[in-house]
Amino acid sequence: MTERLRIALQKKGRLAEDSFKLLRKCGLRFTIRGDGLLARVKNMPIDLLLVRDDDIPSFVANNAADIGIVGENVLVEEQLVSNDKLDANIKMRLGFSKCKLCLASPENNELDNIIKLSNTRIATSYPGVLKKFLDEEKIKAKLVEMKGAVELAPSIGIADSICDLVSSGATLEANGLKVFRTILESEAVLIQSKRSLSAEKGILLKKVFRRIDGVIKSSETKYVMLNAPREKVDEITELLPGSDSPTIVPLAGSDNLVALQAVCTEKILWENLEELKLLGARAILVLPIEKMMS
Ligand code: PRT
Ligand code: ZN
């Protein structure tokens, strides 16, 4: 019987949809039902284990899943608070669910520097990460552990400042709080244990990694086509973010214009296009790339 690879994913929440989308882009076909703990991938020997994000590092470490997708913040916290050393390590950074774990305090109060945290109360859902930070900074403060709604702690009088995740900053602003220090930057990561896998699973896992890598690379990679004055080709090539050796094709009926085509591996901004235009580039097209394999 074919062994099935098991991937632990968040069932519901901020990571869930992007994790499903990533795997679907990798060619995995599956349906998520409301109540199920397992979703079967129809076209590959893979099962998806759908759980709360906090359980993902220990499930990977304890062999309930072979790999998992989780926020780096959760992985680091679980590693710090777990009694045994967790065998769950970052294999790939996935580039979505970016956020920061920050210290923030009520606006207009003098708690605007970590030195001033001594002997104060800090509310957080990340006691492991916060304690490590405070120990490294040699600051003694009281941690008030909360499971959620950490941003309310100062206004209800149970803490002087908070240590919480921030993405847009709107929640902090709505609660009159201001960030004064970032202690961890986070994004979704793919994690794996150091356990060795059967040859069969190993081959399948390599295939999944190669596809994920291809999806991540192709999301920023663009195919650029433009017409350029022949004598400006070198300067124009230098301006194309993350491209090497473009294809240059003569343009029918024009002696001094060429068509240039290149794969750009870095983000292309409007500013890049404006600079290209200043050098004489015309008819600039930036096209998405759906799949890549090198
Ligand atoms: O139920 P389960 O335990 O699986 O989910 P959860 O409720 O613990 O986690 P969830 O779904 O809220 O978040 C999952 C992961 O998404 C986190 O562990 C982070 O890695 C990542 N992430 C990215 C975030 C945010 N952005 C984020 N903004 N997690 C939480 N937030 C919170 C933030 O603390 C604030 O309270 O969202 C609120 C809005 O943020 P602002 O700054 O945009 O206002
Ligand atoms: Zn959670």
Side-chain angles (χ1 to χ4, degrees), residues 19-30 41-46 207-208 211-212 215 290-291:
S19 306
F20 302 153
K21 202 157 75 185
L22 173 67
L23 295 182
R24 289 200 167 105
K25 280 189 184 166
C26 291
L28 279 67
R29 287 182 19 228
F30 54 87
V41 175
K42 292 170 196 144
N43 57 335
M44 289 169 99
I46 299 177
K207 186 179 204 166
V208 171
R211 289 190 184 185
I212 293 179
V215 170
E290 197 181 290
K291 293 189 178 66

Side-chain angles (χ1 to χ4, degrees), residues 8 52-62 70-71 74-76 78-79 86-88 191:
R52 291 199 58 174
D53 64 348
D54 318 71
D55 292 331
I56 293 175
S58 64
F59 281 178
V60 169
N62 300 327
V70 70
V74 169
L75 174 70
V76 175
E78 294 300 316
Q79 281 170 333
L86 265 194
D87 180 14
I191 57 172

